[in-house]
Amino acid sequence: MREADLLVRLTGEHRRTEALFDLMADFPPGDPRRRDLLDDILLVLARHAEAEEGFLYPAVRAYLDDGDRLADAKLAEHAVLKRRLADLAVRTDGDQAFDDLTGQLRTFLAAHTADEENELFPRLAAACPPDRLDEIGRKARAADADADADRDLD
């Protein structure tokens, strides 16, 4: 995989999310830094979901024989994830639901990430030409830059 490759980008975001969760665990319940770190996680996950839904899953549909089924299953997981993120967004650190939901989110993401990195990504990398993955990755990065520019205008 190359630097512009979509799968490299998504794998990097997986590591970033894991690192933020690890940092969060370093602080005791009630520490405001935990909420700040969760907000960072929520931002990374929102952008990550946009990239998967807008770029990864269409490629899965196009290049894998069972791509429609796989993409639909991942989109269903995203629906669950978005409900969990909405639940967490309104919680304050120090409340038991915050810790419970954060733990559930981390467990859910670990399974989702492992499945993608061990099954989905290798299959797509084998089926999709590398230059196409690079092109898709560049488009995903450009979409991020456009979204950032739009946010700056707000």
Side-chain angles (χ1 to χ4, degrees), residues 13-69:
E13 289 171 353
H14 290 164
R15 297 294 85 75
R16 172 85 174 124
T17 303
E18 291 166 1
L20 289 168
F21 272 115
D22 288 345
L23 279 172
M24 221 175 132
D26 289 342
F27 300 107
D31 189 310
R33 292 174 287 190
R34 287 171 44 92
R35 180 72 230 185
D36 292 341
L37 288 165
L38 180 65
D39 289 342
D40 290 345
I41 290 168
L42 296 178
L43 179 61
V44 171
L45 290 176
R47 294 180 83 146
H48 185 78
E50 288 174 8
E52 287 187 342
E53 292 170 9
F55 299 95
L56 175 65
Y57 301 148
V60 166
R61 289 182 193 283
Y63 288 96
L64 298 180
D65 290 338
D66 57 345
D68 287 335
R69 180 189 63 77

Side-chain angles (χ1 to χ4, degrees), residues 35 38-39 42 82-95 97-99 101-102:
R35 180 72 230 185
L38 180 65
D39 289 342
L42 296 178
K82 287 175 182 177
R83 284 193 301 275
R84 290 184 178 182
L85 295 177
D87 287 345
L88 259 172
V90 298
R91 302 292 177 174
T92 58
D93 188 26
D95 121 27
F98 181 92
D99 289 334
L101 291 169
T102 300

Side-chain angles (χ1 to χ4, degrees), residues 1 21 36 38 55-56 70 79 81 103 109 134 151 153-154:
M1 291 188 280
F21 272 115
D36 292 341
L38 180 65
F55 299 95
L56 175 65
L70 290 169
L81 175 63
L109 289 172
D134 284 342
R151 281 195 235 354
L153 294 176
D154 291 339

